[in-house]
Amino acid sequence: MSDFQTKLEKYAELAVKIGVNVQQGQTLIINASIDCAELVRLIVKQAYEVGARFVKVNWSDDTVTRLRYDLAAEESFLDEPKWYAGEMLEYVKNGAAVLHVMSSDPDLLNGVSTQRLTNHQKAYGKVMKEYRQLQMSDKFSWSIVAVPSKPWADKVFPDLAESDRVNALWETIFRTVRLDQPDPIAAWKRHIDNLKEKSEYLNNKRYKKLHYIAPGTDLTIELPEGHLWVAAESHNAQGHTFLANLPTEEVFTAPHKSGVNGTVTATKPLSYRGTIIDGFSLTFENGRIVDYKAAVGQDVLKQLVELDEGSRSLGEVALVPHNSPISQSNILFYNTLFDENASNHLAIGNAYAFNLEGGKDMSQEELSERGLNASLAHEDFMVGSAKMDIFGITADGKEEQIFREGNWAF
């Protein structure tokens, strides 16, 4: 067996045992592009071997997706996929886990009408609202892993020979998910423990606010009473652990939706729904985005910020050291799954219920009353760099440095 095949099988094992952590008798739903078929087949095999009752694969294809956006009738983007929402709700309410295997071209929908993109997102988001609430309350296990596609690899490694680009992206992904370690699963368990130490420190501190200072950034973020810092591992309604993202380097919580003030400048491009937004900044007053500008993708940024009432506020604040392995690779992935784990980041839109004490069992109205944001959107964007300092502000106004020059200060 080749070294590549060995790593691919370990990747499948990691996705099943650490990512979604499939249990005996559990159903697994896989959403994947046809570019990911080789890995998906190994995941299906691995899932059945650990005792899955049934594995269902929902296939997609970038070419078909682009053809629809280019050629379908305008009114079709208003159609609500109630059948899909109903199917997914039935599965997860009966204990299924969901794994997303992604490989899309970062520029897939470049040039598509923003109105088509907005109409589709609103129609999809409306019928998937209950599903997303269950997902963001950790009611079921879910995870995301990635597979290189040729367009994605071409974007990441334009200076390599064309024939080497996909292999280079494979090797890079393997390193980010610790498949270069002798025992990847054991390596992940050690890594999870290290992240937990940081989250426990922050939870014990109970900071009232965070103050971000960096070139182009001077931002204060209030944290809601009872906020919880979470690291890597989550627990579903049955108490089973899962890892939502492979890789992950972050420790994160929810901001107070009306307590964000100042300006923040992004430090990496954002690949949003198949288009790139770059060179952008956001200005907040009392939690609301009151000004925004982008050097590239202004119209798409406008679509994101103006998607709904909650898309003008933040739903997540995440800390990632600049010396994380992904950051030190000096590779720009044009993919949020990876780029967010190379940089401190924030998320426009919906907040995770589990970032609040007791939040998993609260209604959306109760979460809102406690300061958590609600939106159809949840879009991470990167703000960290080696020049960023972050201070935690206690309830009595004392400032303590959390990040110094991009890395943990404790």
Side-chain angles (χ1 to χ4, degrees):
M1 184 183 296
S2 68
D3 180 58
F4 174 79
Q5 194 64 29
T6 298
K7 287 180 178 176
L8 201 64
E9 292 195 358
K10 287 184 176 180
Y11 196 16
E13 181 183 20
L14 191 66
V16 169
K17 292 184 178 180
I18 296 292
V20 282
N21 188 15
V22 174
Q23 301 294 303
Q24 182 76 31
Q26 188 176 29
T27 292
L28 174 64
I29 308 301
I30 303 174
N31 296 317
S33 165
I34 58 173
D35 293 327
C36 308
E38 186 176 7
L39 177 63
V40 169
R41 290 170 187 141
L42 291 174
I43 290 171
V44 171
K45 181 175 182 288
Q46 182 71 226
Y48 280 126
E49 287 178 348
V50 301
R53 175 187 178 89
F54 175 55
V55 182
K56 183 179 190 296
V57 182
N58 296 320
W59 295 105
S60 62
D61 174 56
D62 274 5
T63 300
V64 171
T65 298
R66 179 68 199 221
L67 285 169
R68 183 194 173 196
Y69 276 98
D70 284 342
L71 303 175
E74 192 73 36
E75 60 270 19
S76 73
F77 294 94
L78 298 171
D79 294 343
E80 298 173 0
K82 295 177 181 178
W83 60 270
Y84 178 70
E87 178 183 80
M88 293 301 292
L89 273 173
E90 181 178 348
Y91 276 124
V92 299
K93 285 182 175 180
N94 284 286
V98 180
L99 177 66
H100 304 276
V101 187
M102 56 183 291
S103 68
S104 286
D105 174 2
D107 294 315
L108 176 64
L109 301 181
N110 188 36
V112 168
S113 157
T114 55
Q115 191 60 56
R116 289 190 170 216
L117 293 168
T118 299
N119 287 344
H120 173 73
Q121 187 171 4
K122 286 184 176 180
Y124 181 86
K126 180 179 178 181
V127 295
M128 294 296 287
K129 184 177 180 180
E130 184 179 356
Y131 173 90
R132 282 172 54 83
Q133 287 174 342
L134 294 175
Q135 181 183 33
M136 300 190 85
S137 300
D138 279 353
K139 297 302 184 185
F140 63 92
S141 300
W142 60 279
S143 189
I144 307 172
V145 297
V147 167
S149 64
K150 187 180 183 303
W152 181 21
D154 289 344
K155 183 87 172 177
V156 176
F157 295 112
D159 297 330
L160 291 183
E162 189 172 351
S163 59
D164 294 335
R165 294 171 186 171
V166 170
N167 286 337
L169 188 50
W170 264 123
E171 288 303 318
T172 303
I173 290 174
F174 286 155
R175 286 194 298 273
T176 67
V177 295
R178 292 173 167 76
L179 291 175
D180 57 342
Q181 303 291 316
D183 187 341
I185 289 179
W188 268 100
K189 290 180 178 178
R190 290 192 299 272
H191 177 54
I192 290 167
D193 287 342
N194 290 335
L195 290 176
K196 282 181 178 178
E197 288 181 8
K198 300 299 185 185
S199 64
E200 288 170 3
Y201 176 92
L202 292 169
N203 282 328
N204 288 333
K205 283 292 184 178
R206 292 292 177 195
Y207 289 119
K208 178 67 174 174
K209 296 179 181 179
L210 302 177
H211 186 196
Y212 287 63
I213 301 174
T217 293
D218 188 348
L219 189 73
T220 301
I221 300 176
E222 183 180 347
L223 304 177
E225 186 176 348
H227 69 272
L228 291 174
W229 289 93
V230 175
E233 204 170 57
S234 301
H235 295 79
N236 67 16
Q238 291 74 42
H240 300 303
T241 60
F242 66 95
L243 240 63
N245 294 342
L246 285 170
T248 184
E249 302 286 339
E250 65 182 316
V251 177
F252 64 99
T253 191
H256 195 291
K257 64 180 180 179
S258 61
V260 182
N261 289 280
T263 297
V264 62
T265 298
T267 52
K268 292 178 183 289
L270 170 62
S271 177
Y272 173 64
R273 298 188 59 78
T275 57
I276 298 295
I277 307 171
D278 198 6
F280 65 98
S281 63
L282 308 172
T283 299
F284 293 82
E285 289 182 8
N286 299 321
R288 304 274 293 167
I289 297 172
V290 294
D291 190 28
Y292 55 90
K293 53 189 174 183
V296 176
Q298 176 74 14
D299 288 347
V300 183
L301 180 60
K302 181 177 187 291
Q303 171 205 339
L304 170 58
V305 171
E306 299 183 4
L307 180 66
D308 61 18
E309 181 68 19
S311 58
R312 284 187 176 270
S313 300
L314 295 181
E316 180 186 333
V317 48
L319 303 178
V320 180
H322 185 67
N323 63 7
S324 75
I326 299 174
S327 176
Q328 293 303 297
S329 73
N330 292 316
I331 294 172
L332 179 60
F333 287 88
Y334 298 96
N335 182 299
T336 302
L337 176 64
F338 295 90
D339 289 333
E340 73 170 6
N341 286 299
S343 169
N344 289 321
H345 56 275
L346 305 170
I348 288 173
N350 209 47
Y352 288 104
F354 56 74
N355 279 137
L356 190 68
E357 290 177 351
K360 290 184 180 183
D361 299 316
M362 291 183 185
S363 67
Q364 190 59 62
E365 290 73 20
E366 290 171 322
L367 291 169
S368 182
E369 288 173 2
R370 296 286 298 275
L372 267 63
N373 194 38
S375 173
L376 294 176
H378 180 92
E379 202 63 38
D380 298 290
F381 64 99
M382 286 55 76
V383 301
S385 71
K387 298 180 179 180
M388 174 165 277
D389 292 332
I390 304 176
F391 297 86
I393 304 173
T394 61
D396 59 5
K398 181 182 177 183
E399 284 197 0
E400 299 175 351
Q401 194 151 16
I402 298 174
F403 263 58
R404 181 180 295 110
E405 295 180 345
N407 292 306
W408 293 107
F410 60 85

